[in-house]
Amino acid sequence: LEERLSTLPADDLLLIERLRDLLFWDRQRNDMTDAEVFDRLEEFLAEVKNPAARDVAIFRSDLRTIVAALRRRRLGMGPPTGFGQWVPTIKRNWGDPGLGLAGRFPWIVKLDRLLATGDLEEANRLVLGITYEHWARLASTHHFSFEFMVYYVARWDVLDRWVGRNPDAGKERLKQLVTEAIGE
């Protein structure tokens, strides 16, 4: 990844680095509050006009808000007050298993069930899979472009997190994805 990124023009590389700072867990401070995370996101969105970079940041934020809402509900807490287009819908539909969003995000009900049964490993696998597939789908509409690179970096983050959780499974999945990508 670093080798590929080094070939980008300086402005594009700066944008990718800013996006990585938002996405990559190893670049996050452990003591950041939700408010700080959302402030960083708002700053990023105010400054960045690239549609792919904005999509990655917004999707990640929406996903984080939905997962946080499901966890808050499991803990008997109230709806999130955070950032994002779905917060008002979540608040209005707090008692609904799908938070009023199951039509748009059919996986929410399954994720809620996994959290309810305490199957956090499968819940994490579901969230990472949803994220990876979303960005893979968007990347498939861009070839040999900067936008493709943005989605590639976003998918790299998902794979990096997965490999960090289960090295053997992650290596096997990486081999499978490389084989799919280059046909060997």
Side-chain angles (χ1 to χ4, degrees), residues 34 66-80 94 99 111-112 114-118 120:
D34 285 344
I66 292 166
V67 170
L70 292 173
R71 287 184 175 154
R72 289 177 64 85
R73 190 167 62 189
R74 288 274 148 235
L75 294 170
M77 300 169 71
W94 191 238
L99 301 171
L111 180 60
D112 189 46
L114 291 169
L115 293 173
T117 61
L120 301 182

Side-chain angles (χ1 to χ4, degrees), residues 11-143:
D11 288 349
D12 289 346
L13 182 57
L14 179 62
L15 175 57
I16 291 286
E17 287 304 312
R18 290 192 64 207
L19 188 60
R20 291 172 82 189
D21 287 343
L22 281 176
L23 295 179
F24 283 33
W25 286 109
D26 65 343
R27 294 184 178 208
Q28 305 292 317
R29 286 189 358 250
N30 290 334
D31 63 341
M32 282 181 58
T33 66
D34 285 344
E36 289 173 314
V37 170
F38 292 127
D39 286 347
R40 286 182 66 204
L41 177 64
E42 283 182 321
E43 179 183 317
F44 180 84
L45 293 175
E47 296 172 8
V48 172
K49 303 304 175 215
N50 180 278
R54 291 176 62 81
D55 177 63
V56 167
I58 290 168
F59 183 80
R60 181 68 177 271
S61 170
D62 288 346
L63 190 60
R64 182 180 180 137
T65 298
I66 292 166
V67 170
L70 292 173
R71 287 184 175 154
R72 289 177 64 85
R73 190 167 62 189
R74 288 274 148 235
L75 294 170
M77 300 169 71
T81 57
F83 177 86
Q85 61 186 323
W86 303 116
V87 171
T89 303
I90 291 169
K91 285 179 179 179
R92 280 193 312 274
N93 296 281
W94 191 238
D96 174 34
L99 301 171
L101 298 170
R104 177 142 172 91
F105 304 112
W107 48 264
I108 291 176
V109 174
K110 181 177 182 179
L111 180 60
D112 189 46
R113 277 195 311 266
L114 291 169
L115 293 173
T117 61
D119 193 347
L120 301 182
E121 186 67 28
E122 189 60 31
N124 189 50
R125 182 176 292 124
L126 177 64
V127 169
L128 290 176
I130 289 161
T131 305
Y132 187 90
E133 292 302 321
H134 177 75
W135 289 327
R137 201 171 32 257
L138 292 173
S140 72
T141 65
H142 298 277
H143 301 285

